[in-house]
Amino acid sequence: MRRWLLLILLAVLVAGVYVRMPARFAAFALEDRLDPMALDDIHGTAWDGDSRHTWWGDWPVGHMRWQADSLSALGGTIRANLQFDMPKNQRMRMHVEQRLRILEVTALRADLVGDALRKVFLRAELLPIGTVHLDVERARFDDGIPVALRGRATWRQATLIGPRTRLPYYLGDLKIDFRVDRPGIVFGTIHDVGGAMQVAGNMSADAIGFRIELHFVPRDPQLAQGLTRLGRAQPDGSRLLILQDAWWWKRQHD
């Protein structure tokens, strides 16, 4: 009887330690599986905690909270809801699930400022402003390689500011739909949803970097003069802007 009582007490103790496991254990797991994420000023437990200062590379993503399923973790599957309260009233939330090499992200919703796209336009010396809403239904990664993706983004009041023009380039509202057709390569199409500027383009991204091609045609001919410094003139009268670069975090670690 005493042996059974001792075993029960030991089980209760182990369960209590497991449930109250420090948040630092979850932070190690998140940093390992969501590289280049870094967490600091960590509180709570491994199953219900937060990081007051969180970065994705050198991009501050603010205060992150997580709620994880402690029972599924016993079976080797990590399931967690993540929520980010970011600078400039930006927000993002998602559900992540990982087992062995497979990481799946679902229900990712984000409201960002246009400045979140700064790295994309950096080499073209253009500053993006406006607001960006991101909606990813499902993203699946096998050992870090994207193998499935369904998502879209809306860049509202898309505007570019250049160093050699006194007036901004107003592009209206843009829609971006992206997917994975081949493992490791993300494809996307870009188009406007009305307004003074007709915008059409495509994008591709892989482990090396990204390439975006954007064609601009003003619906009002009087606006054509204002585009003379945006991209290159094309025979059909449109302007072509090409944005391409290696991933900024890859460059930092090479």
Side-chain angles (χ1 to χ4, degrees):
M1 184 67 179
R2 289 182 179 178
R3 180 179 298 176
W4 282 109
L5 181 59
L6 181 61
L7 289 175
I8 291 172
L9 290 174
L10 181 60
V12 171
L13 177 62
V14 171
V17 171
Y18 181 71
V19 170
R20 300 300 300 172
M21 187 181 297
R24 186 70 248 183
F25 285 89
F28 285 138
L30 290 169
E31 289 174 330
D32 179 59
R33 291 162 173 79
L34 299 178
D35 180 66
M37 180 179 284
L39 289 75
D40 193 18
D41 197 3
I42 299 163
H43 303 269
T45 70
W47 319 113
D48 189 355
D50 69 300
S51 165
R52 305 289 172 85
H53 304 290
T54 313
W55 292 266
W56 183 267
D58 63 357
W59 180 33
V61 291
H63 185 181
M64 183 185 76
R65 300 178 177 88
W66 69 81
Q67 289 183 321
D69 185 343
S70 58
L71 293 179
S72 67
L74 290 173
T77 299
I78 295 176
R79 295 190 181 99
N81 293 316
L82 308 181
Q83 178 178 320
F84 300 82
D85 293 313
M86 305 160 66
K88 302 178 182 178
N89 292 320
Q90 301 176 100
R91 291 179 176 82
M92 179 166 58
R93 67 181 186 275
M94 69 185 78
H95 177 78
V96 298
E97 182 170 329
Q98 182 172 31
R99 184 176 181 84
L100 300 177
R101 301 183 313 171
I102 303 299
L103 172 66
E104 188 158 331
V105 178
T106 55
L108 190 158
R109 308 286 185 270
D111 291 297
L112 310 170
V113 297
D115 190 61
L117 302 173
R118 178 192 291 264
K119 300 292 184 180
V120 173
F121 293 91
L122 186 61
R123 291 213 171 186
E125 297 184 318
L126 293 167
L127 177 66
I129 60 177
T131 60
V132 179
H133 177 72
L134 183 62
D135 185 347
V136 176
E137 299 173 20
R138 175 175 175 261
R140 186 179 177 89
F141 302 85
D142 185 346
D143 201 18
I145 297 173
V147 294
L149 175 64
R150 291 196 309 271
R152 63 196 60 83
T154 302
W155 184 5
R156 297 187 178 94
Q157 299 179 330
T159 305
L160 296 173
I161 298 176
R164 296 184 299 276
T165 179
R166 289 176 295 178
L167 297 175
Y169 304 113
Y170 297 108
L171 309 180
D173 291 350
L174 303 183
K175 294 277 189 180
I176 305 100
D177 295 291
F178 39 87
R179 66 195 186 279
V180 167
D181 288 339
R182 289 182 289 168
I185 304 178
V186 176
F187 295 95
T189 56
I190 305 165
H191 61 88
D192 68 276
V193 291
M197 192 75 63
Q198 179 180 340
V199 183
N202 57 73
M203 60 158 287
S204 63
D206 57 21
I208 304 301
F210 66 89
R211 178 182 173 89
I212 301 173
E213 295 186 6
L214 293 172
H215 289 267
F216 305 97
V217 179
R219 292 189 169 95
D220 182 350
Q222 294 183 356
L223 298 177
Q225 186 175 358
L227 294 176
T228 54
R229 294 187 181 274
L230 184 62
R232 300 195 304 266
Q234 301 300 295
D236 61 0
S238 67
R239 308 288 301 188
L240 172 63
L241 176 64
I242 297 177
L243 306 164
Q244 58 184 356
D245 202 353
W247 290 116
W248 56 275
W249 63 79
K250 181 176 177 61
R251 293 202 308 270
Q252 286 183 332
H253 291 86
D254 282 347

